Amino acid sequence: MDTLPSIFVSHGSPMTALEPGAAGAFFGALGPAIDAAFGRPKAILAVSAHTLMRAPVLLAAPRHAAVYDFGGFDPALYTLRYDAAGAPALAGRVAELLGAAGLPAHQLTEGDLDHGIWTPLRYVYPAADVPVLPLGWVPGWTPAQQFALGAALAPLRAQGVLVLASGSITHNLRRVFADGLRGPVDKPEIPESAAFRDWFAQRSAARDWDALFDYRARAPHAADMHPTDEHLLPWYVAAGAGGRDAAPQRLHTSITYGCLGMDAYAFGDSAPALTQRLTAAAS
């Protein structure tokens, strides 16, 4: 197996699980593209915006089920399942890597998958046949600290483990749900969202890590697009796992509710191979 890239996906509203839209189509193409370019991952280390802890915690349960960590949505959402094997053996290896980087992690024999994990995975690997190890992380850490967390995980990529971070490239729920939980998904994008996403893509292509680490001061409309930044910080974990040398690859770009960005990125020197595979599959 060639070295896997690390990946960040925007999981969007829980309704993505029922109304996949453009992002769901991308998720559906992502799994086959990964498999074709690198081989099926042995496991997935999942870093979600919804699994937040006071210190790094590995959820090393032998089995996982979907957690319905939301309310007020279509009742059909609560009938969806994603039952996946855990990866307790991998937890020891990850704990070693984090400990060596001065980031000791707790291991729990508990688990289950929040919607930031199972919503994309039900399209990426619908058979739920790839073991998953969720990593709870600390939302109070800075982007640079999240990058360092990801850098500690980098050796996993050469060992067949997909480092998959899940959040949202823009995430202002007040704006998203201004028309209610069932507001129009296909609203035109607001200028503030477009400016933020474009800035992030441009700074990524330029490998301007200083600007990206300081996005809250430098990116246009940063506080508007991320009143709190727990949905963007997983991007930095995936970026750290890919390293500084290769420019992040923007794999997908779309918008829902006019302001909820669904962008996805890949990181590391193998990321262009994934971009090429996805482009070829779409042509």
Side-chain angles (χ1 to χ4, degrees):
M1 171 181 283
D2 292 334
T3 298
L4 286 157
S6 50
I7 296 175
F8 168 84
V9 298
S10 296
H11 58 257
S13 158
M15 286 301 296
T16 303
L18 288 177
E19 301 171 350
F26 162 72
F27 293 149
L30 180 59
I34 292 170
D35 294 353
F38 308 103
R40 176 63 62 96
K42 297 176 182 176
I44 296 169
L45 180 71
V47 180
S48 168
H50 296 280
T51 301
L52 308 177
M53 306 287 183
R54 295 182 179 179
V57 176
L58 294 156
L59 300 181
R63 296 289 304 176
H64 299 294
V67 173
Y68 310 111
D69 52 336
F70 44 78
F73 289 92
D74 189 323
L77 274 174
Y78 305 91
T79 69
L80 299 179
R81 299 185 64 87
Y82 194 83
D83 300 316
L90 176 62
R93 171 62 177 150
V94 176
E96 289 177 1
L97 292 172
L98 294 177
L103 302 168
H106 303 279
Q107 298 184 58
L108 301 179
T109 57
E110 304 167 15
D112 294 336
L113 309 176
D114 68 61
H115 78 271
I117 300 172
W118 67 261
T119 295
L121 283 184
R122 72 184 305 265
Y123 297 110
V124 178
Y125 289 116
D129 53 358
V130 180
V132 182
L133 175 64
L135 169 61
W137 55 282
V138 184
W141 289 0
T142 66
Q145 288 173 310
Q146 307 295 352
F147 191 94
L149 173 65
L153 304 172
L156 298 174
R157 297 172 43 230
Q159 298 165 10
V161 177
L162 175 62
V163 178
L164 179 66
S166 174
S168 188
I169 202 69
T170 54
H171 192 263
N172 183 329
L173 293 184
R174 180 185 60 80
R175 284 186 174 274
V176 170
F177 296 133
D179 298 317
L181 293 178
R182 298 295 293 155
V185 176
D186 58 351
K187 289 173 62 176
E189 184 173 19
I190 63 173
E192 295 86 347
S193 173
F196 182 90
R197 293 196 303 133
D198 289 347
W199 181 91
F200 223 84
Q202 293 165 7
R203 293 302 90 213
S204 296
R207 290 183 295 163
D208 189 348
W209 298 110
D210 288 342
L212 289 163
F213 291 158
D214 194 28
Y215 91 92
R216 224 159 168 78
R218 303 195 197 186
H221 312 292
D224 186 3
M225 291 299 95
H226 288 281
T228 59
D229 59 0
E230 77 285 341
H231 272 74
L232 186 61
L233 292 176
W235 188 96
Y236 294 94
V237 180
R244 289 175 171 264
D245 294 338
Q249 300 280 303
R250 196 185 197 187
L251 300 178
H252 173 74
T253 173
S254 64
I255 197 79
T256 57
Y257 302 100
C259 61
L260 187 59
M262 300 299 293
D263 299 10
Y265 284 80
F267 308 89
D269 55 8
S270 57
L274 180 57
T275 301
Q276 293 168 9
R277 184 68 64 169
L278 286 164
T279 300
S283 63

